[in-house]
Amino acid sequence: MSGTPPCGAEPPDAARELTPGDVQAWAEYHFRRTGHRRYARAVRDTVQWDPPPGIDPRTIEGRL
């Protein structure tokens, strides 16, 4: 990808509502329409850990 400027295209504004399959379908459409062959993806998720019963989360070492 070095030396190739990004085109800046992104899925529609509703991308927050899209499933990974929807994003893949959009990317395939974009590839066919433009001839582009690569795109950069950023994936972010959230994990919540709930301590087992009887463990006070305030006593866990390293707590922020």
Side-chain angles (χ1 to χ4, degrees), residues 50-56:
D50 294 315
I55 302 293
D56 183 348

Side-chain angles (χ1 to χ4, degrees), residues 12-43:
D13 289 339
R16 293 179 185 167
E17 309 284 327
L18 298 179
T19 67
D22 293 335
V23 174
Q24 183 65 30
W26 174 86
E28 288 179 18
Y29 168 78
H30 179 75
F31 294 156
R32 289 184 180 137
R33 188 171 57 94
T34 63
H36 296 163
R37 297 185 57 208
R38 297 181 182 188
Y39 70 101
R41 296 188 299 181
V43 178

